[in-house]
Structure formats: C-alpha cells, structure tokens
C-alpha cells in the first residue's frame, strides 16, 4: 500500500511516498535518501532515470519493511510552499548540504511517528549524498531527534568533499574519448588543476548560487560539501552500519570502505560490490562514466538489493530476540 503524504520540514512542507507492506503492523521501516542534485523521491533526474530509491522501496516492501522517500527541496511536489505558491524550477540550487540534512532529519521524525511504523526499528538508507546525510543523522546527539536503529551507506565517501572531487577529477580522463584526451594534452589542460581553481573560486563566494566555469551552480551546497569531512560523523555512529560501494565507482573511492570500517564503532559491515558502478548497476568492462546511460537501462544490481534486505532482516531478527529476552518469563 502506498500513501502520498506531506510532512513538515525545517522551513516548508515536503512531499513524499510512504509504502507499507500488506498485513498487520507496526512494521520496521527505512527512510530512503537519494544522491545530490535535483532528484525526486524515486532518485530520478529530469534527464536521467536513476530510480535507486524506487527500486529499494520495492525490495524492502517485499521484505516486510515500510519505507518513506520524498522529493528533495525545490524538486517535484516539494516545490509547493505553505502559502500555495510554487518555487521556480531552479529552486533546488539554493539549499546547502546542511539544509538537506535538516530536511532528512525531519523526514525521519515523520516516518517514526507514523502509526504503521515501529519507531524502535527505523533505519536510514542513503545513496551518494544521501549516504553522507545518513551518516550525519546517525551521528547526531540531539535529545529531541529520532535515533535510527541502523544505517545503510551506499557509495559513501569517508574523506573531505574537496579531496573526493579531486579524486574524481584524477579518474575522469579514463572516461573521456581518446580524441578529446588528445586535445587536452595538446592544449596542456590539466583537469585536476582546473578543478582546484574552481574550488578556490567557490570558496570565495558568499551567495546561494554563483557562475563558475560558465555554469550557474549551487555555490552554497558546494562550499559546504568541500569543507565537510564525513569521517567526523562516521566516528560518532553508535548503531550498526552496512556500507556498500561498487568496485567500479568513479565518484566515490571504493577504498573509503576500509576507512569506514576503521572509523565506525557501529559495528560496521562493508562490501565492495564486484563490477558495480556508482549508480549501483553492474557495469561490464572497464569503469567508465560514459557507460552510465546504457547501464541505466538495467535495474539496480540484484546482489546489492539482496545484501541490503538481508542485512536489515538479520538486524530486525536480532532486535526481536533481544526484546524477547528482556521480557520477564
């Protein structure tokens, strides 16, 4: 059963979809957080159907979990403001990383408050930026915040944002067609140096948006992402963690899984998914950004969905066993 709902965010209502399994509840539940950019509740972009949240929701519902996924600020039905007006299409460029974290925290509270949901068994599952937000939520120590029972980090970085973007730039040439690489060499264009210069330009901005490299970007989000070190949050997570990164991820360093395992008190469980890209699809051949559009014709890797649902199911069974032991006999 699916229910379209609106719930209060930090400064506006947000729109989402609650999916509940058949049968009597309350159910364990998961909040689904998508990646960066103007993604809707299904993790879809206007020009790219990523669909990670929708496919996770379907797999989790089949496994007996309720889920909540929502349109990000400035996207889809979340563009509708409380006064009845609608934000312009580029409104998603204004919120910062911390704004997105506050919205995710509000969504977790809304999910835990639903009568269909067991508030002691609410998990957070994030992909890419969503994984960064999931780690921040799990690390929070606010007395009035809902504490998740565990988190799943899909393609989660464990290094500062500026270092992550430089790591991406170093690997970009491998995905550029050979003629373009030849032109870059001829013109002596250093992509990594260019990215560093753009980072410096962004750091000097003070507005929500700015024109960098000929494009208007979300400068506020970028400034906050460049300075954000997820390691600080990862080291404060005191609930179980499952971290999965594809071995062919070109946007998050798969080696960050080792750092997550070392940082998280959790306890953590990590998995480097063979032949899986940042989009959580199986990618044949060498890792390449150019393969994204083709691989999006395929579903999210079944092995990833199975690993997530099995991990959650195992932790729910462990929790039920502990609660049974605490009941006086």
């Amino acid at each position: 059963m699916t229910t379209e709902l609106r719930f209060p965010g930090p400064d506006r209502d947000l729109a989402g979809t609650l999916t509940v399994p058949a049968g009597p509840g309350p159910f364990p539940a998961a909040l689904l957080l998508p990646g960066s950019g103007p993604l809707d509740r299904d993790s879809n972009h206007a020009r790219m159907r990523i669909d990670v949240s929708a496919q996770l929701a379907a797999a989790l519902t089949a496994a007996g979990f309720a889920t909540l996924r929502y349109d990000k600020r400035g996207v889809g039905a979340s563009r509708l403001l409380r006064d009845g007006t609608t934000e312009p299409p580029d409104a998603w460029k204004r919120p910062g990383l911390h704004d997105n974290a506050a919205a995710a925290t509000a969504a977790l509270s809304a999910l835990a408050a639903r009568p269909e949901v067991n508030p002691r068994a609410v998990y957070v599952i994030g992909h890419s930026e969503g994984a960064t937000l999931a780690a921040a939520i799990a690390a929070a120590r606010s007395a009035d915040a809902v504490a998740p029972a565990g988190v799943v980090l899909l393609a989660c970085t464990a290094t500062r944002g500026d270092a992550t973007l430089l790591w991406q730039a170093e690997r970009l040439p491998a995905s550029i067609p050979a003629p373009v690489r030849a032109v870059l060499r001829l013109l002596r264009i250093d992509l990594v140096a260019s990215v560093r210069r753009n980072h410096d330009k962004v750091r000097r901005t003070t507005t929500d948006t700015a024109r960098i490299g000929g494009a208007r970007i979300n400068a506020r989000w970028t400034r906050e992402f460049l300075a954000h070190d997820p390691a600080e949050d990862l080291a404060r997570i005191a609930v179980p963690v499952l971290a999965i990164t594809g071995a062919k991820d070109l946007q998050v360093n798969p080696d960050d899984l080792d750092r997550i395992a070392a940082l998280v008190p959790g306890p953590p469980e990590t998995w480097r998914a063979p032949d899986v890209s940042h989009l959580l699809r199986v990618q044949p051949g060498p890792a390449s950004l150019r393969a994204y559009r083709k691989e999006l014709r395929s579903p999210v890797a079944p092995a990833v969905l199975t690993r997530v649902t099995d991990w959650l199911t195992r932790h729910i069974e462990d929790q039920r066993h502990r609660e049974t032991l605490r009941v006086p006999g």
Side-chain angles (χ1 to χ4, degrees):
M1 180 181 71
T2 60
T3 302
E4 304 302 306
L5 54 83
R6 298 188 71 84
F7 58 90
D11 64 343
R12 71 199 54 216
D13 291 339
L14 298 169
T17 298
L18 175 72
T19 304
V20 179
F27 298 97
L31 172 66
L32 306 179
L33 302 176
S36 60
L39 300 187
D40 65 15
R41 66 192 70 185
D42 292 334
S43 299
N44 291 333
H45 186 283
R47 295 189 297 274
M48 186 175 287
R49 188 178 179 84
I50 302 172
D51 214 41
V52 166
S53 293
Q55 295 186 43
L56 277 169
L60 289 165
T61 302
F65 289 80
T67 65
L68 174 63
R69 59 194 196 274
Y70 63 94
D71 296 334
K72 296 175 69 174
R73 285 180 45 150
V75 179
S78 290
R79 289 173 53 203
L80 179 64
L81 300 178
R82 289 169 180 162
D83 62 5
T85 60
T86 301
E87 291 183 300
D90 66 347
W92 65 270
K93 292 183 178 180
R94 301 189 179 279
L97 182 70
H98 302 317
D99 291 323
N100 292 344
T105 299
L108 181 62
S109 296
L111 177 60
R114 295 291 303 188
E116 305 96 330
V117 167
N118 176 359
R120 298 186 305 280
V122 178
Y123 294 78
V124 182
I125 304 175
H127 174 230
S128 195
E129 181 201 1
T132 299
L133 302 181
I137 289 174
R141 293 291 187 269
S142 175
D144 58 350
V146 173
V151 290
V152 177
L153 308 176
L154 304 173
C156 182
T157 179
T159 54
R160 267 178 57 117
D162 50 5
T164 294
L165 295 181
L166 289 172
W167 182 88
Q168 293 176 8
E170 290 169 355
R171 278 140 191 85
L172 183 60
S175 289
I176 296 176
V180 178
R181 292 200 301 271
V183 171
L184 292 175
R185 286 195 298 270
L186 181 65
L187 297 177
R188 296 182 180 179
I189 295 176
D190 185 332
L191 291 177
V192 175
S194 177
V195 169
R196 288 184 188 276
R197 288 193 294 270
N198 283 340
H199 287 181
D200 291 338
K201 291 177 183 177
V202 171
R203 291 187 181 99
R204 291 194 294 268
T205 65
T206 58
T207 53
D208 289 344
T209 64
R211 188 167 292 280
I212 303 292
R216 184 159 294 280
I217 67 165
N218 183 333
R220 182 180 181 187
W221 184 94
T222 307
R223 285 194 305 271
E224 293 178 0
F225 180 77
L226 290 173
H228 181 70
D229 188 353
E232 298 175 6
D233 290 330
L234 292 166
R236 290 166 54 86
I237 299 178
V239 295
V241 171
L242 171 64
I244 298 174
T245 301
K248 292 184 178 177
D249 198 318
L250 292 175
Q251 292 174 248
V252 169
N253 188 346
D255 289 342
D256 277 6
L257 287 171
D258 296 332
R259 195 158 190 239
I260 292 172
L263 285 166
V264 173
E269 179 179 321
T270 64
W271 183 47
R272 186 184 297 227
D275 292 322
V276 170
S277 74
H278 187 72
L279 300 182
L280 303 182
R281 267 73 170 186
V282 173
Q283 188 181 96
S288 171
L289 297 178
R290 287 184 292 160
Y292 276 10
R293 290 198 176 275
K294 181 178 180 180
E295 69 184 64
L296 284 176
R297 300 171 194 164
S298 302
V300 171
V304 171
L305 297 177
T306 298
R307 184 69 64 117
V308 171
T309 55
D310 285 355
W311 184 86
L312 287 169
T313 300
R314 186 171 74 247
H315 280 276
I316 288 298
E317 291 173 349
D318 289 346
Q319 180 184 16
R320 288 171 178 162
H321 179 66
R322 290 193 302 270
E323 291 177 352
T324 299
L325 292 177
R326 287 198 295 268
V327 175

